[in-house]
Amino acid sequence: MTHSTPAAVRTRIAPSPTGFLHLGTARTALYSWAYARHHGGVFVLRIEDTDVARSTQDSVDQILASMQWLGLGYDEGPFYQMQRLERYSAVVAQLMAEGKAYHCYSTPEELEAVREAKRALGEKTLYDGRWRPQPGKTLPSIPAGVQPVVRFKNPADGDVTWNDLVKGPITINNREIDDLIIVRTDGIPTYNFAVVVDDWDMAITHVFRGDEHMNNTPWQINIFNALGAALPQFGHCPVILGDDGQKLSKRRGAVSVTAYEEGGYLPEAMLNYLARLGWSHGDDELFSSEQLVSWFDGSHLNKSPAQWDPAKLLWVNAHYMKAASNERLASLVTAQLAKRGMVPDERLIDICALFKDRCETTVVLADWAAAFYADVTPKSEELAQHITDVIRPVLALLAEKLAACVWDKSTIAAAIKEVLTAQGLKMPQLAMPVRVLVMGSAQTPALDAVLALSKREIVLQRLAQA
Ligand code: GLU
């Protein structure tokens, strides 16, 4: 394999397929994608599936679906690490031949004993270098029946320094880190090694990832250097915090992109919200993916953790709900209604048009639409408040008019008006009880519009419940 200095920006996202696409990973995917697009570069998708016990095809499928949903199209990949084992072996062999990696036969028990002893002395629990070859050092004799790991011979001292795209200059002394295991006893490379070989082979120029990987970066830089590979630039984005100030986690609510898709959020809202969470462009809160791409040059990434704000996400989503076409919303709501066993009809597009302004998600829009396709159960307090003995005869009168009139909005409006005038009532006095009975809620859009979208026989049935 030849490696030349890449001319173009190449970024990647490298999820581990051990679950859904996590919001944090989605955000770094978004930054990597936007950065590549901004520079006319290439965005690579790599599946880091070396944790064989936890990686699943189902998870790969979910991750791919979420990326597609968010509109994060990749130009190369997906590459699977488990299909690149030969390549990693070849690089390991090269490092071994050059004396830059070595076999270590320490058993897990021995390693734990070393750590324990260091802990007792209050020292860092680094590997003790027992199997690290040194000029003039005699290594222990190789124990029978022990499968070795391969360790990378980390520089013993000196600093590792990089200028992080998010955090600025970072320096770690090599005495702080030990000789990393790069191949496990089962022959499968570890993350820190495979990631370097891949970023090198895939000519990645910019790595955006979560700052839980900050500790890994010095090792990775040392391995890049040992391979004579060009270093990418690194940008470590701070964690996303939940509203309790703790790292956003499953225990604290939805953390997967899928959960938000199912929860009735629009992909452009998620993309907008996720991008803004950890990055800014002046005071802009609402922007399209095209604007993001034109603005995202890797600057203005926040150094401090962002807090997940469900209320703000709803606000962003509501904005995109209003902007979405009625046809598109109808198809999303159809999917939501299907989960409830309801099959809508051609009225749904107009229902979406009428209700979308008051809905923050397509789930809420589906809640409204459901009143047109299934029974409604008004709340007993609302019934008690609005369905009074005074209003019952008026409802009966309205029902009479509605039974006979042409079923369109203006004729329905005229019928309502006629009843109001005849009874000397104001609109809300009649509209509220009708809404409660027909829609199961006293708060709806204009009554004539709601009734016109309902079926006459259903309206009459529901009014008869008064
Ligand atoms: N597989 C790693 C993760 O999902 C990727 C880290 C990286 O981007 O280097 O956290």
Side-chain angles (χ1 to χ4, degrees):
M1 188 148 318
T2 57
H3 299 92
S4 54
T5 311
V9 164
R10 292 175 60 89
T11 64
R12 61 20 168 221
I13 188 70
S16 303
T18 55
F20 296 105
L21 183 62
H22 186 281
L23 295 171
T25 312
R27 188 183 58 166
T28 42
L30 177 54
Y31 292 159
S32 306
W33 170 85
Y35 192 78
R37 290 285 171 273
H38 178 85
H39 290 284
V42 170
F43 176 52
V44 177
L45 174 63
R46 181 168 76 228
I47 303 292
E48 301 206 327
D49 53 355
T50 56
D51 184 345
V52 187
R54 292 173 61 226
S55 297
T56 66
Q57 185 56 45
D58 192 42
S59 165
V60 172
D61 296 343
Q62 296 282 1
I63 289 169
L64 295 181
S66 290
M67 298 262 305
Q68 193 181 13
W69 183 69
L70 286 170
L72 304 182
Y74 43 90
D75 308 299
E76 291 178 18
F79 299 108
Y80 292 82
Q81 289 190 322
M82 287 305 282
Q83 292 173 12
R84 290 177 41 80
L85 294 182
E86 269 180 41
R87 170 67 183 148
Y88 307 130
S89 299
V91 179
V92 171
Q94 178 196 330
L95 288 175
M96 294 277 292
E98 292 169 0
K100 295 172 178 169
Y102 60 93
H103 282 139
C104 165
Y105 293 85
S106 294
T107 61
E109 296 72 30
E110 281 167 8
L111 294 171
E112 183 46 37
V114 170
R115 277 195 291 268
E116 195 50 55
K118 295 204 176 213
R119 240 177 254 131
L121 292 170
E123 290 176 10
K124 266 178 122 43
T125 56
L126 301 177
Y127 174 61
D128 62 357
R130 189 171 304 186
W131 291 91
R132 178 181 167 114
Q134 297 285 21
K137 173 177 169 185
T138 313
L139 293 175
S141 49
I142 293 175
V146 176
Q147 194 61 34
V149 298
V150 179
R151 284 187 189 266
F152 172 66
K153 201 171 174 192
N154 200 67
D157 42 37
D159 287 333
V160 186
T161 299
W162 78 95
N163 194 2
D164 197 274
L165 293 165
V166 181
K167 313 231 170 197
I170 308 271
T171 297
I172 305 288
N173 193 281
N174 275 315
R175 278 188 296 273
E176 300 287 309
I177 56 180
D178 54 8
D179 287 356
L180 179 81
I181 296 177
I182 57 174
V183 184
R184 298 190 191 90
T185 51
D186 60 5
I188 294 182
T190 55
Y191 155 71
N192 275 306
F193 179 67
V195 78
V196 171
V197 177
D198 289 349
D199 285 340
W200 179 33
D201 285 355
M202 295 168 198
I204 300 303
T205 57
H206 296 78
V207 170
F208 293 94
R209 61 184 170 203
D211 68 1
E212 68 273 18
H213 289 292
M214 282 283 284
N215 293 340
N216 293 321
T217 305
W219 274 313
Q220 294 180 15
I221 289 176
N222 285 335
I223 299 173
F224 271 106
N225 290 336
L227 293 171
L231 281 179
Q233 282 186 266
F234 295 95
H236 291 91
C237 300
V239 289
I240 303 174
L241 301 178
D243 45 17
D244 56 358
Q246 302 291 312
K247 190 177 171 194
L248 199 67
S249 76
K250 257 191 213 148
R251 272 172 289 129
R252 298 188 172 82
V255 293
S256 69
V257 172
T258 316
Y260 288 88
E261 181 180 359
E262 286 170 359
Y265 291 81
L266 298 175
E268 63 270 38
M270 285 308 281
L271 188 120
N272 184 153
Y273 178 78
L274 279 171
R276 179 66 190 83
L277 188 74
W279 169 83
S280 59
H281 179 266
D283 293 332
D284 292 303
E285 293 294 347
L286 298 167
F287 42 82
S288 64
S289 67
E290 289 77 19
Q291 285 172 309
L292 169 67
V293 164
S294 77
W295 296 335
F296 195 87
D297 60 4
S299 62
H300 303 290
L301 283 160
N302 296 351
K303 282 189 171 55
S304 46
Q307 184 139 358
W308 189 257
D309 182 347
K312 183 171 169 192
L313 173 57
L314 281 172
W315 173 77
V316 173
N317 204 57
H319 166 80
Y320 288 102
M321 291 280 295
K322 289 191 187 88
S325 78
N326 303 323
E327 289 73 13
R328 178 175 168 220
L329 290 175
S331 104
L332 294 169
V333 170
T334 299
Q336 297 285 356
L337 291 175
K339 290 190 211 166
R340 309 179 195 191
M342 296 176 201
V343 183
D345 55 11
E346 71 293 341
R347 292 176 297 160
L348 186 59
I349 292 172
D350 291 336
I351 293 171
C352 289
L354 186 59
F355 285 87
K356 68 179 179 183
D357 283 1
R358 60 183 58 225
C359 297
E360 288 173 319
T361 66
T362 59
V363 169
V364 176
L365 188 51
D367 290 343
W368 282 113
F372 294 87
Y373 299 107
D375 291 342
V376 297
T377 322
K379 289 200 190 75
S380 49
E381 325 71 271
E382 289 214 305
L383 285 174
Q385 184 187 347
H386 294 288
I387 313 302
T388 59
D389 287 342
V390 178
I391 210 69
R392 278 197 183 88
V394 187
L395 289 169
L397 186 60
L398 178 68
E400 220 172 276
K401 301 256 179 242
L402 293 179
C405 78
V406 173
W407 200 251
D408 65 25
K409 191 174 136 191
S410 57
T411 319
I412 292 171
I416 296 170
K417 206 152 186 199
E418 214 181 304
V419 172
L420 292 176
T421 315
Q423 302 292 311
L425 294 174
K426 297 234 167 348
M427 183 58 121
Q429 293 171 287
L430 179 59
M432 298 299 232
V434 176
R435 286 172 167 142
V436 169
L437 289 171
V438 176
M439 292 297 294
S441 164
Q443 307 301 325
T444 75
L447 185 58
D448 51 358
V450 170
L451 293 183
L453 281 172
S454 308
K455 289 192 167 143
R456 186 202 310 260
E457 65 272 20
I458 303 281
V459 170
L460 297 179
Q461 260 170 37
R462 291 182 186 175
L463 289 180
Q465 313 282 315

